[in-house]
Amino acid sequence: MKLGLVGYGFGGRIFHAPFIQAADGVEIGGVVARSADKIAQIAFDLPGVPVFASLSDLIADGSFDVVTITTPPATHTPLTLEAIEAGLHVVCDKPFAMNLRDAAQMADAAVKKGVLLNVFQNRRRDTDLVTLASLIDAGELGDIQRVHNRMDFDQIETLERGPDGGLLRDLGSHLVDQMIWLLGPVEFVDAQVNHLNFAEGRTDVDFVIHLRHVSGAHSYISATKANYLNAREIRVYGTKGAYVVNGTDVQAREAIDGKRPATSDNWGEEPQSAWGTLYGESGPRRIPSLRSDYSDYYTEFAKAIRDGTDGPVPARQSLRTVEVLDAARIAAASGQIVQLDSKLQQTDTPVDWRLL
């Protein structure tokens, strides 16, 4: 299938293009970009791939099946709706939308048009998370009581600044999605969100969120890009023991370093030094990290289009994440715990945005 990549910033160049190239059933047929430096980078990275000045120009070409939207967060809804109206299947990068109303409108439009809309939540495929999921599925931890999920980076220069950006929409989208995927729907949300003032406007730069899941489990997620700290940890407590793993996913590290999954024989393979530890009645033991590959997301998306199935991260699942992020902003501003009143967290039925 011929895919148009809309945007070629850090995300499009590092976390989309290389994994599309390594996927089965899909190829990059064009890129939307305007600035001279990005056009030059595309010519270097993707020789021979045509560049379009706008999504409208790419649509007018008439030869594309799929688009991936990797532009700034505030543009996701209008661009996604434009692509859907043109009959294209869409992968929308996180954050899916600025708010729940916009997200539901996009999901509703895709259902009515009969196209597939998925959200690029690649960090469901981080090696630490898929290894943890396998331990939970095998019953190694018993019933999960609480999870601490922390992602700190000394990278304030990578932050989308201004009220339309911020860390909550950036890393918060990943961390909330991971916890809902792992532990199920959320019932209550509490949060602390801290801000800094930049020339572009007031921007949230770190947060702590407490989620109480319908299952009875609790998750505590946190991230910062403002405290000169690099630290990644998942710590899990269950009725049979605990599991702790540290370290940024090897795929993210290698992608940023310029390595590519299509040319790597051991892509997604963590060194033993990055393995986690399972603590149980018989004592601690190291758990080999499972291999994972972000490229599988695009392989599965292309297959879902062919088979008429849901795809790896259907839009309706990401509505739950957007709802939690909206609630976190309210909780942080009010100092109160927010109960999620909608049925959205506990249903897979698409929500009519006009009712929100």
Side-chain angles (χ1 to χ4, degrees), residues 50-117:
V51 177
F52 297 85
S54 67
L55 173 59
S56 299
D57 289 347
L58 184 143
I59 290 170
D61 180 79
S63 66
F64 288 85
D65 307 294
V66 184
V67 293
T68 292
I69 308 297
T70 75
T71 49
T75 67
H76 286 185
T77 295
L79 290 176
T80 297
L81 291 175
E82 181 182 357
I84 289 170
E85 181 59 30
L88 297 177
H89 305 284
V90 181
V91 172
C92 182
D93 205 351
K94 61 82 197 166
F96 181 31
M98 301 297 288
N99 53 59
L100 179 58
R101 182 183 174 89
D102 286 352
Q105 182 181 6
M106 295 154 69
D108 184 53
V111 170
K112 290 180 177 177
K113 196 68 177 181
V115 298
L116 189 60
L117 171 62

Side-chain angles (χ1 to χ4, degrees), residues 101 104 108 112 351-356:
R101 182 183 174 89
D108 184 53
K112 290 180 177 177
V351 172
D352 190 334
W353 64 271
R354 292 163 294 186
L355 301 180
L356 296 174

Side-chain angles (χ1 to χ4, degrees), residues 10-326:
F10 180 80
R13 180 170 59 88
I14 301 298
F15 286 106
H16 287 276
F19 298 101
I20 297 167
Q21 289 178 302
D24 295 328
V26 63
E27 64 178 3
I28 300 175
V31 182
V32 174
R34 293 178 181 171
S35 66
D37 61 328
K38 287 186 174 60
I39 293 172
Q41 187 68 52
I42 293 165
F44 180 80
D45 294 341
L46 307 169
V49 173
V51 177
F52 297 85
S54 67
L55 173 59
S56 299
D57 289 347
L58 184 143
I59 290 170
D61 180 79
S63 66
F64 288 85
D65 307 294
V66 184
V67 293
T68 292
I69 308 297
T70 75
T71 49
T75 67
H76 286 185
T77 295
L79 290 176
T80 297
L81 291 175
E82 181 182 357
I84 289 170
E85 181 59 30
L88 297 177
H89 305 284
V90 181
V91 172
C92 182
D93 205 351
K94 61 82 197 166
F96 181 31
M98 301 297 288
N99 53 59
L100 179 58
R101 182 183 174 89
D102 286 352
Q105 182 181 6
M106 295 154 69
D108 184 53
V111 170
K112 290 180 177 177
K113 196 68 177 181
V115 298
L116 189 60
L117 171 62
N118 269 219
V119 180
F120 190 67
Q121 290 290 0
N122 60 306
R123 286 195 175 271
R124 288 189 188 185
R125 298 164 190 270
D126 280 1
T127 55
D128 52 9
L129 198 72
V130 297
T131 303
L132 170 58
S134 73
L135 292 174
I136 293 174
D137 290 344
E140 294 274 13
L141 288 161
D143 295 329
I144 302 303
Q145 298 165 319
R146 57 188 165 102
V147 177
H148 297 257
N149 194 357
R150 171 190 181 196
M151 191 178 287
D152 300 335
F153 293 113
D154 182 16
Q155 296 176 345
I156 200 163
E157 70 281 356
T158 66
L159 191 65
E160 187 84 29
R161 300 185 182 189
D164 290 342
L167 196 64
L168 195 59
R169 288 192 174 97
D170 178 11
L171 297 183
S173 295
H174 282 311
L175 293 170
V176 170
D177 177 78
Q178 286 183 339
M179 293 298 91
I180 294 175
W181 179 73
L182 199 68
L183 302 176
V186 173
E187 191 172 17
F188 295 96
V189 180
D190 190 16
Q192 174 188 345
V193 180
N194 296 315
H195 298 77
L196 290 176
N197 292 316
F198 299 99
E200 297 85 352
R202 189 168 182 261
T203 307
D204 61 87
V205 295
D206 76 74
F207 61 82
V208 179
I209 304 174
H210 170 208
L211 305 179
R212 190 187 309 173
H213 297 261
V214 174
S215 66
H218 293 250
S219 58
Y220 301 83
I221 62 179
S222 63
T224 179
K225 283 191 175 181
N227 298 100
Y228 308 103
L229 176 65
N230 284 299
R232 172 70 174 130
E233 180 186 57
I234 299 179
R235 185 161 28 101
V236 186
Y237 299 87
T239 54
K240 289 185 177 180
Y243 176 70
V244 180
V245 60
N246 295 275
T248 303
D249 186 90
V250 66
Q251 298 180 84
R253 297 195 305 269
E254 292 191 342
I256 292 170
D257 289 342
K259 297 181 181 179
R260 296 295 178 256
T263 56
S264 175
D265 293 332
N266 60 342
W267 185 264
E269 185 176 309
E270 293 281 4
Q272 188 170 345
S273 59
W275 293 359
T277 302
L278 178 66
Y279 298 86
E281 186 176 3
S282 59
R285 60 187 172 97
R286 301 297 298 280
I287 303 297
S289 295
L290 298 180
R291 289 183 66 174
S292 189
D293 191 340
Y294 295 160
S295 305
D296 291 341
Y297 176 97
Y298 276 104
T299 298
E300 291 173 19
F301 185 74
K303 185 176 186 301
I305 294 172
R306 294 192 303 271
D307 296 346
T309 53
D310 288 342
V313 187
R316 65 176 182 269
Q317 291 183 8
S318 286
L319 297 182
R320 298 172 176 175
T321 296
V322 176
E323 185 187 30
V324 169
L325 294 174
D326 282 358

